Amino acid sequence: MISFRQSLAILSGVLSILALFFPLGELNGEAVSLWSDSGLTAFAIVSMLASVAVLLNRLKGLKADLVLVILPHVGAWMLLSRLDVADQHLASGFWCLVVSSWLMAWLLVDQLSAKKTKTPTAKRFYSIVVPVLFGVWLLLLWELVVRGLQIPTVLLPPPSMIGARFMASTDILWADFQQTFLKAVLIGYILGCGSAFIIAILIDRSPFLQRGLLPIGNLVSALPIIGVAPIMVMWFGFDWHSKAAVVIIMTFFPMLVNTVAGLSITSSIEKDMMKTYAASYWQSLIKLRLPSALPFVFNALKINSTLAMIGAIVAEFFGTPIVGMGFRISTEVGRMNVDMVWAEIAVAALAGTAFYGIMVVIERACTFWHPSFRSSR
Amino acid sequence: MTTDALISPGVTGGQGLWSRLMSGKTGPVLVIVMAIIAIWYFSAVMLNSPFQKEIYKRNSVEWTTSQLISDTLSQERPVLPAPDQVVVELYKTTILKKVTSKRSLVYHSWITLSTTLLGFIIGTVLGILLAVGIVHNRSLDKSLMPWIISSQTIPILAIAPMIIVVLNAIGIQGILPKAFIATYLSFFPITVGIVKGLRSPEVIHLDLMRTYNASNWDLFWKLRWPSSVPYLFTGMKVAIATSLVGAIVGELPTGAVEGLGARLLAGSYYGQTIQIWSALIAAALLAAGLVSLVGISNKVVLKKMGMAQ
C-alpha cells in the first residue's frame, strides 16, 4: 500500500525525470532542451534524487525538513527567473518542473502538518507556517502560470504587477480606504450593532415582543438586504452617509437575533441563584446574563464585520463621489486598469481579514472562560 | 437562521383562541407585522409630504390634511412608496404582464432564480468535495481550512464586476459568470457544515465500524456521510440565501439587462422607487420561498432516514 506521501514523491520524481527529456521551450523559434539551463538541470536531478529518497523512506526528520524547505523554493526561484528570458515560448518540460516543485512543497506541508508538537508555542508556529506556505505557493503558481502562458494582463495580472501597482498608488488606495472603511463601514457597523444590542436588551423584558420579533429577525437575516442600497443612495445622497445606512440595516438583524438568543441562554438554575442573592433585574443582567450572552454577541460581530464591508462596497456601485473602494473598482474595470482593481481588492481583503481578526482577538479576551476556548489544549 | 416564521404552527380553534394565538408565535408575529405596516404608512406620509406641499404651493391649491395624506400615498415617484402601491405594482408586473415580457417581474425573477440555483448547485458540489478532501487529507485540513475561512472575510462581492468582465473577455457569457459569484458565496457554509458533520460520528461508532473490518469507503458511505446530512441541510439553508445575494449582485455590473438586480439598478437610474421596492419584495419572497423549500426537504429527508427528532 502506497501512502499519500509516497505517491506525492513518485509523481514529483516522475515529473522531474520527464522534464529532462521534454523540451524546455522555444527560443527565437528554436527548441531548447532543459540541458541548456544548468541551474534547472541541477534542480531536476536533485529533486529526482530527493523523491527517490523520500520514496525509500531514507529522508526523514530534520534532514527531510531542511531538504524540502530549500529544494522547492530554490527551484521556484530559478523557474521565476527563467521567465525573464525574452522572446521565449515555454513548453512541457518547464511545466513538468513547476508541478514537480509544487508537489515537493506539498510534501513539506504534509510533513509539517503531521508533526507531533510538544509545546503550545511550537503548535502555534506550525498552525501559522502551514497555511502561509499554502498562500505563498498559490501566489507563486499564479505568477508562474500567468507569465509562463503569457496570459494578457487585462485578464489576470501577475501578483508582482499588482504589488508594484499597490506600492505606486498608496495615496489613492488610502483615500479610498478612508472613504469606504473608516467612514461608511466603521460608523455604520458601530451604529447598527449598537442599536441592535440596545433594542435586544429592551425587548428582552417582553416575552411577547421576543416571540414576535425573533421569527421576523430570522427571516430578515436570510433576505437579500443588500437590495436596499439603491433606496438608501436615493435618500441619503452619494456620500458615505448612504453607505453607512446600508451597513446599519445589514448589520442590525444578525446582531438583534443573536443577542436575544444569547440573553435567553442562561439556565434557570443560574437565574435562581441570582434570585437567592436578591439581585435586581439589572444586576442579574449585567453580572450573569450579558456575560453569558457574549459568545453569541461576538458571533454576530464577526458575521457583521464581513457583511459591513460587502454592504459598503456594493452600495458604492449605485452612486458615489469620485472616491471609495467600490467606485474605484467599477471605474477601473471600465478603463481596463485591471492591476489597480486587484490592488483595491487586496486592500479590501486585508481590511476585511484584519477587521475579522480584531474581532476574534477581542472575543478571546472577553470570553476566555468559554468551553470552546478552554478545551483547545 | 430558522424557518420558524414560515412554518409557524397553525391554530386549531376551540376555546381560548385569543390567548392561544397570543401565547404561540403566530399572534406576536402578526401584531409586529401590522405594526411594521403602520409605521411604513406613517413614514410614507412624512417622507412624501414635503414634495407634495411644494406642489400645492406652486399650484396655489388649498389643502386639507386628509387630502395631503391621500396624495402622498399615491405619488408617481415617491420617496417612500406606500405598501399598497408596491402591492399594486407587484400585481401589475406579475399577473397582468405576459411571463415572457421584459417588464414582467416573473421573467426577471426567473433569470435571478436560475442563476441562484446554478450557483447553489455548483457551490454545494464544490463544498462537499472540499469537505471530503479536508476530512480525509491531513495536509489539506491544515493548509486549506484557514484559507477557506479567511476567503469569506474578503468582500468577494467587490470582485463581482471584475469576474464578470474577465469571463466575458474569454468568451464565457450569460449565466455562468453570475453563477460563479453565487457559488463563491454559497460553498463556504456547506464546506464548514459538512466538515463538522463528517467528523460528528462518535469514537464508539467508528470503533464499531472497525470491528466490522469496514474499509475507508464503507466508513464514509455507511457512517460519516449519513451522519453529516443534518449538517448539510443547515449549511444549505444559509447557502441558498447567500447564493441569491450573489446572483443579485452579479447582475449589477452587466449593465442592468435582466434579473432582479438589474431591476434595482434600472429603478435607481430612473428614480422609479416603486419599481425598486417591488423588485426588493420579489427578492424577499424568492429568498423566503427558497429557504423554506430547503427546510421542507430537510424534514422529509431526515424523516426518510429515520433521523427526525
Side-chain angles (χ1 to χ4, degrees):
Chain A
M1 185 78 184
I2 304 172
S3 70
F4 181 69
R5 185 178 152 80
Q6 281 168 325
S7 47
L8 278 180
I10 292 174
L11 261 178
S12 168
V14 168
L15 284 170
S16 30
I17 295 172
L18 286 180
L20 290 172
F21 298 105
F22 283 163
L24 178 66
E26 277 175 15
L27 196 59
N28 302 323
E30 274 174 53
V32 179
S33 84
L34 188 70
W35 301 93
S36 65
D37 190 322
S38 53
L40 284 180
T41 313
F43 168 62
I45 291 172
V46 172
S47 73
M48 186 182 73
L49 292 176
S51 323
V52 172
V54 169
L55 191 62
L56 299 177
N57 250 343
R58 286 291 171 78
L59 199 57
K60 280 189 289 194
L62 197 65
K63 220 168 31 171
D65 285 348
L66 217 66
V67 169
L68 289 177
V69 165
I70 295 171
L71 189 58
H73 298 100
V74 169
W77 178 71
M78 285 195 291
L79 290 168
L80 276 179
S81 45
R82 178 73 204 185
L83 289 173
D84 294 331
V85 178
D87 297 326
Q88 66 172 350
H89 189 80
L90 293 163
S92 44
F94 182 81
W95 298 115
C96 282
L97 275 187
V98 169
V99 176
S100 163
S101 57
W102 172 51
L103 290 172
M104 281 277 171
W106 197 342
L107 258 178
L108 173 65
V109 165
D110 190 59
Q111 191 163 301
L112 289 182
S113 39
K115 279 244 187 304
K116 293 204 170 38
T117 47
K118 286 167 197 111
T119 55
T121 350
K123 201 174 167 185
R124 239 185 126 65
F125 174 73
Y126 284 120
S127 74
I128 293 172
V129 164
V130 170
V132 165
L133 260 179
F134 184 87
V136 166
W137 272 88
L138 206 66
L139 290 180
L140 276 176
L141 288 177
W142 178 354
E143 180 91 20
L144 283 169
V145 168
V146 167
R147 285 179 59 196
L149 293 179
Q150 290 165 342
I151 293 173
T153 51
V154 176
L155 289 186
L156 190 66
S160 55
M161 189 176 164
I162 298 168
R165 171 57 68 136
F166 188 100
M167 288 304 162
S169 47
T170 38
D171 49 338
I172 298 178
L173 293 173
W174 172 245
D176 292 342
F177 177 76
Q178 258 183 326
Q179 170 77 10
T180 304
F181 190 84
L182 297 183
K183 288 179 187 161
V185 171
L186 270 190
I187 293 174
Y189 183 80
I190 291 168
L191 286 180
C193 292
S195 59
F197 186 73
I198 291 167
I199 289 181
I201 288 176
L202 289 181
I203 67 169
D204 172 60
R205 301 202 84 162
S206 151
F208 179 83
L209 280 181
Q210 263 185 47
R211 282 203 308 272
L213 270 177
L214 259 194
I216 293 179
N218 275 324
L219 179 71
V220 174
S221 312
L223 297 184
I225 303 186
I226 195 81
V228 299
I231 297 164
M232 292 301 132
V233 171
M234 222 174 262
W235 284 3
F236 298 105
F238 280 180
D239 210 358
W240 60 270
H241 305 89
S242 57
K243 282 81 202 170
V246 175
V247 174
I248 289 175
I249 298 175
M250 282 188 82
T251 54
F252 183 84
F253 286 98
M255 187 70 183
L256 182 75
V257 170
N258 272 288
T259 311
V260 170
L263 285 174
S264 62
I265 202 73
T266 36
S267 62
S268 50
I269 196 165
E270 289 163 323
K271 283 188 217 152
D272 284 349
M273 192 182 76
M274 290 309 274
K275 215 162 274 170
T276 60
Y277 290 160
S280 70
Y281 170 82
W282 289 107
Q283 276 172 328
S284 91
L285 181 73
I286 288 166
K287 299 241 155 99
L288 168 66
R289 299 180 58 216
L290 276 184
S292 55
L294 276 183
F296 286 80
V297 172
F298 275 106
N299 190 24
L301 284 175
K302 283 192 286 183
I303 296 172
N304 281 344
S305 68
T306 322
L307 284 180
M309 291 289 293
I310 290 178
I313 291 178
V314 172
E316 287 184 0
F317 294 163
F318 287 97
T320 39
I322 51 160
V323 63
M325 289 153 86
F327 163 79
R328 193 76 56 202
I329 288 171
S330 47
T331 49
E332 298 291 332
V333 164
R335 292 166 59 192
M336 290 292 169
N337 279 338
V338 182
D339 51 345
M340 185 67 196
V341 177
W342 279 97
E344 200 72 63
I345 288 167
V347 173
L350 284 176
T353 315
F355 196 10
Y356 190 90
I358 288 169
M359 284 302 139
V360 172
V361 169
I362 299 177
E363 181 185 20
R364 295 232 164 158
C366 293
T367 61
F368 56 89
W369 45 269
H370 196 259
S372 63
F373 291 114
R374 268 183 300 167
S375 61
S376 63
R377 286 286 148 82
Chain B
M1 289 176 204
T2 64
T3 49
D4 289 345
L6 302 161
I7 324 168
S8 38
V11 178
T12 46
Q15 52 168 336
L17 182 81
W18 178 252
S19 61
R20 282 181 68 180
L21 193 66
M22 283 301 149
S23 63
K25 272 181 183 163
T26 325
V29 168
L30 281 179
V31 169
I32 287 177
V33 168
M34 307 268 245
I36 290 173
I37 292 176
I39 293 170
W40 188 344
Y41 269 113
F42 178 73
S43 14
V45 171
M46 295 309 285
L47 285 170
N48 296 339
S49 56
F51 179 67
Q52 194 64 41
K53 281 179 188 162
E54 191 98 339
I55 292 178
Y56 288 145
K57 206 167 153 192
R58 213 179 298 150
N59 300 343
S60 52
V61 178
E62 291 288 315
W63 52 275
T64 59
T65 316
S66 62
Q67 194 191 352
L68 177 73
I69 288 175
S70 74
D71 281 345
T72 47
L73 295 182
S74 57
Q75 283 176 358
E76 201 167 315
R77 288 180 184 183
V79 179
L80 176 63
D84 57 275
Q85 280 179 301
V86 177
V87 171
V88 167
E89 168 81 7
L90 270 176
Y91 180 74
K92 268 200 247 168
T93 48
T94 51
I95 312 286
L96 298 184
K97 286 265 171 357
K98 264 206 302 208
V99 178
T100 50
S101 157
K102 286 255 172 185
R103 286 182 162 186
S104 165
L105 213 52
V106 179
Y107 169 78
H108 291 289
S109 300
W110 165 246
I111 299 284
T112 305
L113 181 66
S114 55
T115 312
T116 307
L117 289 181
L118 183 65
F120 174 69
I121 290 167
I122 302 175
T124 307
V125 173
L126 182 72
I128 292 173
L129 289 181
L130 276 175
V132 171
I134 284 170
V135 169
H136 285 96
N137 188 307
R138 195 177 45 205
S139 49
L140 274 186
D141 176 29
K142 290 273 165 82
S143 58
L144 196 57
M145 204 53 191
W147 284 97
I148 286 182
I149 292 171
S150 60
S151 78
Q152 300 297 309
T153 66
I154 296 167
I156 184 65
L157 294 180
I159 314 182
M162 192 62 235
I163 293 172
I164 283 170
V165 169
V166 166
L167 289 182
N168 265 335
I170 58 172
I172 301 175
Q173 278 177 340
I175 191 174
L176 261 182
K178 294 185 278 178
F180 276 144
I181 295 158
T183 300
Y184 187 95
L185 287 179
S186 60
F187 90 94
F188 174 72
I190 305 247
T191 303
V192 172
I194 301 238
V195 164
K196 218 173 181 180
L198 290 176
R199 285 186 177 148
S200 66
E202 288 166 39
V203 180
I204 197 165
H205 294 146
L206 292 170
D207 283 350
L208 181 70
M209 290 301 272
R210 210 156 287 152
T211 61
Y212 290 160
N213 196 21
S215 63
N216 261 342
W217 185 258
D218 283 334
L219 191 65
F220 180 78
W221 284 113
K222 301 207 164 127
L223 178 62
R224 286 192 190 274
W225 176 251
S227 47
S228 74
V229 168
Y231 294 86
L232 171 66
F233 275 104
T234 319
M236 268 162 55
K237 266 189 223 167
V238 181
I240 194 123
T242 55
S243 180
L244 179 64
V245 174
I248 289 177
V249 175
E251 282 159 2
L252 297 180
T254 52
V257 186
E258 48 186 14
L260 289 176
R263 291 288 280 184
L264 287 177
L265 197 61
S268 83
Y269 281 164
Y270 303 115
Q272 299 283 3
T273 38
I274 303 180
Q275 182 187 325
I276 299 179
W277 279 95
S278 62
L280 208 55
I281 301 280
L285 290 177
L286 208 58
L290 287 172
V291 172
S292 58
L293 208 64
V294 174
I296 290 167
S297 48
N298 178 19
K299 286 206 168 155
V300 171
V301 168
L302 287 194
K303 206 169 184 183
K304 284 232 160 138
M305 291 174 69
M307 291 169 85
Q309 279 100 18

